[in-house]
Amino acid sequence: MSVEIKGFEELAGKLDRLAENADSIDGENTVSFDELFTPEFMQTYTEYDSIESFFGQSRWTVETQDDFKHIPEDDFDRYVDDHTGFNSWEAMLSAAAREWTTRQLSA
């Protein structure tokens, strides 16, 4: 008795693409805030439509990475907690990074 199973070639192709995509993001990656915090992410998890409006409505001026580095962490965590579904910037950043990784792997 034998059984015919179809679809292995298609599955193998998908696994090959997944492996290639994983290789392409292996190691450290530099990702812009716009790419990391997509409008879909922001609309799902925050009160804002974009990362620009998220920062624009804050009490801080964030035009450069240096500006961002000078925001007091505790104050920023409170802002994130008040205006997003996350209790800290680290939690928000981690969720965005997971979604970015998923998008890269499925590309």
Side-chain angles (χ1 to χ4, degrees), residues 9-87:
E9 289 175 12
E10 183 180 337
L11 177 60
K14 287 181 181 182
L15 290 174
D16 287 343
R17 281 191 300 282
L18 179 61
E20 289 170 7
N21 292 345
D23 284 343
S24 73
I25 62 170
D26 188 30
E28 288 189 29
N29 294 276
T30 301
V31 182
S32 71
F33 272 2
D34 287 333
E35 190 178 356
L36 197 59
F37 298 102
T38 64
E40 295 80 15
F41 179 91
M42 296 303 291
Q43 292 164 12
T44 300
Y45 298 109
T46 78
E47 299 173 2
Y48 305 100
D49 291 337
S50 67
I51 192 69
E52 291 84 6
S53 61
F54 174 76
F55 284 118
Q57 294 298 314
S58 75
R59 63 183 185 167
W60 303 281
T61 300
V62 181
E63 295 175 351
T64 66
Q65 189 168 355
D66 197 48
D67 291 340
F68 180 73
K69 287 180 182 179
H70 285 92
I71 299 173
E73 187 175 337
D74 289 343
D75 290 346
F76 196 57
D77 282 345
R78 275 191 292 283
Y79 178 72
V80 169
D81 189 35
D82 290 344
H83 299 282
T84 76
F86 303 100
N87 62 1

